[in-house]
Amino acid sequence: MSEAAQTLDGWYVLHDLRSIDWQAWNAASPAEKDTALTELMKLVSEWEAVEERKEGSLALYSIVGQKADLIFMHLRETLEELNAIENAFNRSSFARFTRKEHSYVSVVELSNYLSAPGVDPYQVPEIVARLKPILPKSKHICFYPMNKKRDLQDNWYMLPMEDRKTLMRSHGMIGRGYAGKVKQIISGSVGFDDWEWGVTLFADDALQFKKLVYEMRFDEVSARYGEFGAFYVGNILSGSSLTQLLQG
């Protein structure tokens, strides 16, 4: 049996993707719209207050394309808190004008492939900041799930630990080349959702998503062992731009 990679785990993550029922929204009365929008903005304000207390974080973006209209990315200390966020939204007046297109549950994760021996990582401030991050407010977001292959000779989980460390070190060097251009949050979802990891990228230049993912496809970790799910890409929403989106 190959040695399993030990992980460092931080905040739990919920990616909540919704589509707006525009027919129902357009048919609603001005009073119904005002109530729904007021309740939505109250929720957003509560989530932003949690972030200000550094007890979690929020990313809110509009999705480009047919897969969804909105993505809410929530980070919290517990799964119970994520469940409460989801239920609070579902009880709101605004929820009746939406459909849940997709959701993804995971936990912010760092692997031990690159960890320094003899050091308690939870005592390193830089590592703790990566496990409990305040999400960037970049112009664009890109989210996708992924697996490592378990196919015949291309089985990541049968590779010796040293081989996996070497491969991940090379893989990580590509990501470092995009420092300052792309911020990456890796979340583990083994036992939590249908894929093994969720990858969330933030950038002010959306073209950097394409460049980064394309370059990584040529690295052996992705070219030989990577499997990728659907990609969701979008633009940041503030309170004012969210109101503008809904009011036209």
Side-chain angles (χ1 to χ4, degrees):
M1 178 176 172
S2 298
E3 181 183 352
Q6 300 300 309
T7 61
L8 306 175
D9 302 302
W11 276 337
Y12 288 94
V13 186
L14 172 66
H15 291 80
D16 188 355
L17 290 115
R18 308 268 176 160
S19 284
I20 299 170
D21 184 343
W22 289 110
Q23 184 174 1
W25 179 257
N26 291 333
S29 68
E32 290 173 322
K33 290 181 180 179
D34 286 344
T35 298
L37 189 55
T38 298
E39 290 189 18
L40 174 61
M41 297 311 299
K42 182 175 183 293
L43 287 173
V44 172
S45 295
E46 291 172 358
W47 299 333
E48 290 174 340
V50 170
E51 180 173 284
E52 290 176 5
R53 297 194 299 270
K54 300 188 184 306
E55 297 173 354
S57 194
L58 167 71
L60 173 56
Y61 287 75
S62 62
I63 294 296
V64 180
Q66 87 287 358
K67 296 173 185 172
D69 290 316
L70 303 171
I71 180 170
F72 300 86
M73 181 179 177
H74 299 283
L75 274 62
R76 288 295 187 276
E77 192 72 37
T78 67
L79 280 176
E80 289 84 354
E81 289 173 276
L82 289 184
N83 201 191
I85 288 170
E86 196 172 17
N87 290 335
F89 184 94
N90 289 337
R91 288 194 299 268
S92 72
S93 298
F94 182 72
R96 64 182 281 257
F97 298 105
T98 72
R99 298 184 303 273
K100 176 168 280 193
E101 296 293 353
H102 185 60
S103 66
Y104 202 81
V105 179
S106 55
V107 61
V108 178
E109 174 186 296
L110 298 174
S111 75
N112 71 345
Y113 288 125
L114 306 177
S115 62
V119 176
D120 180 358
Y122 290 104
Q123 299 305 314
V124 180
E126 293 80 7
I127 292 179
V128 174
R130 291 177 64 188
L131 292 173
K132 299 181 177 183
I134 298 301
L135 297 173
K137 302 303 180 274
S138 305
K139 291 182 180 179
H140 307 288
I141 192 173
C142 175
F143 167 68
Y144 60 93
M146 65 169 295
N147 289 336
K148 289 292 196 302
K149 283 185 180 178
R150 299 187 296 276
D151 292 341
L152 301 176
Q153 299 303 311
D154 292 336
N155 189 328
W156 176 260
Y157 296 95
M158 294 301 292
L159 293 176
M161 172 65 81
E162 287 305 314
D163 290 356
R164 282 178 277 140
K165 282 186 175 182
T166 299
L167 288 167
M168 289 304 295
R169 192 173 295 112
S170 171
H171 193 66
M173 291 303 294
I174 297 175
R176 290 190 186 95
Y178 288 82
K181 299 177 182 177
V182 179
K183 173 70 174 180
Q184 176 177 263
I185 306 291
I186 302 295
S187 51
S189 46
V190 175
F192 288 158
D193 222 308
D194 297 340
W195 295 75
E196 295 171 340
W197 288 276
V199 180
T200 311
L201 308 176
F202 297 89
D204 287 327
D205 177 8
L207 194 58
Q208 297 302 318
F209 299 148
K210 177 179 181 293
K211 292 181 180 295
L212 172 59
V213 175
Y214 185 68
E215 186 174 349
M216 283 190 166
R217 291 285 171 98
F218 286 90
D219 182 74
E220 187 174 2
V221 169
S222 294
R224 186 173 182 182
Y225 298 105
E227 297 178 325
F228 300 85
F231 282 69
Y232 300 86
V233 65
N235 307 310
I236 194 167
L237 286 172
S238 62
S240 59
S241 59
L242 179 58
T243 300
Q244 184 178 7
L245 170 68
L246 292 168
Q247 292 184 338

